[in-house]
Amino acid sequence: MKAVIMAGGLGTRIASVRSDVPKPMIEICGKPILQHQIENLLNSGITEITLVTGHLGHKIQEYFGDGSKFGVKISYFNEDHPLGTAGALFKMEGLSEDFLLLCGDTMFNLDFARFIEFHKSHKAWASLMAHPNGHPYDSSLLVTEILPPEKEGELPRDSKRVAKWLAKEDERLYYKNRVNAGIEIISPELLEYTKNNYKPRHPETPDKIDLDRDVLKPAIPTGKIFAYDTPEYIKDMGTPDRYYETEKDLQCGRIYAKNLSQKQKAVFLDRDGTLNKDRGFITSPEQLELIDGVAEAVKTINKSGYLAIVITNQPVIARGECSFETLQQIHDKLETELGKDGAYIDALYYCPHHPDSGFEGERIAYKGKCNCRKPATGLIEQAQKDFNIDISQSFMVGDSSRDTDCGKNAGCKASILVNEKYTLSDFVKEYISGDSK
């Protein structure tokens, strides 16, 4: 697959770090950001690259040349005037097959093979890489289509098809922390669709096209736009603060370690009594309230390199006390409240089953034994499969013996019991804080 990297831009927000080169040429640990990107692509078997240049573009071409000394083949498309974030795609030649689209000022290290496989399996016109971050409240969010259970007794299915795009200014209450990361795989069919339907928002500059507003968002009704969730390292290098944070992350090896081709380590977190106050069975978003200090503790986990993954028994489904839709709203509120304080979870898995019968309004299809209700290990096993997790280097944290037994049964490094006297914050200080520095 070919890669197109948008390597223009003035870089006004990061000018205090370096103003005499284009943003993608700013060095991190002795290499331009763009070189880090190219090395990641090469390691993924992607060797054909087109660099779209503009401001000070000659400096990029002087450094990289034809790409041969970096093990790749590089061609160039120079914008003689600004074309927006997508205008160049409609003027370039050679985009007859699906291609990877990147921003040249973003630091990442990704398992592109997984992303490409996702794109192909969904037969997408565009696959958008998405991830949680510490400021979802001012980020563009992707909302995907949640399909009802296909068969009685199964769970709702996230089709990954983008159903809605929440811009920063759009009203939102509770939401999943799924931020558009600015990394896409685009098909020629999407470009053709845009050509046939494009209406310039600025008639005086019709060839200045915005990728999000003019290409991706208008195509959502086609059902061909999909979101690919990943916990891997992706950071926009637009400001000095983010630059220095990224430099530290690269120096300590955290950026490469987050690549899903590498074994991950996780902190598996129970929900009720661990993250939020235990008020019995929670059946509405209004009942969920975070425990004091939890957001800061989760934030420390995020910074440490561990994945923060919630695994929770939710028998309210089997008991007929809560709908799948309402449970999703409860979990959206959990992510929203964590995000307000700069924290996030990388994934959430729940068991809807309950072994006992006799409840009014119960859902019989979800009654009985299963392999996902803690202390069974099905939820951890699914997370392990999804994120390439080394269970022996991971922790289980919860407020009951079901949680700690689950961790022991799965083979976790340690299973930690929390309560009012020993909280998640205490666990983080004892086991995690050293890894976050």
Side-chain angles (χ1 to χ4, degrees), residues 284-303:
S284 70
E286 292 71 29
Q287 295 172 306
L288 185 137
E289 183 180 354
L290 294 184
I291 296 171
D292 291 343
V294 154
E296 192 61 34
V298 173
K299 188 175 179 179
T300 301
I301 295 172
N302 300 148
K303 290 182 177 180

Side-chain angles (χ1 to χ4, degrees), residues 142-197:
L142 302 176
V143 180
T144 57
E145 176 186 51
I146 306 297
L147 301 175
E150 293 182 344
K151 298 178 182 178
E152 191 176 13
E154 293 185 350
L155 293 177
R157 182 169 61 87
D158 186 344
S159 71
K160 303 297 182 180
R161 181 179 288 111
V162 176
K164 192 174 182 181
W165 187 307
L166 293 176
K168 299 176 185 180
E169 63 273 14
D170 291 337
E171 184 178 353
R172 55 182 80 170
L173 180 58
Y174 305 134
Y175 47 82
K176 181 177 177 63
N177 188 338
R178 180 188 271 128
V179 177
N180 178 31
I183 297 173
E184 301 87 12
I185 298 177
I186 304 292
S187 77
E189 286 86 354
L190 177 60
L191 299 183
E192 189 63 29
Y193 175 84
T194 303
K195 286 179 184 178
N196 294 333
N197 295 276

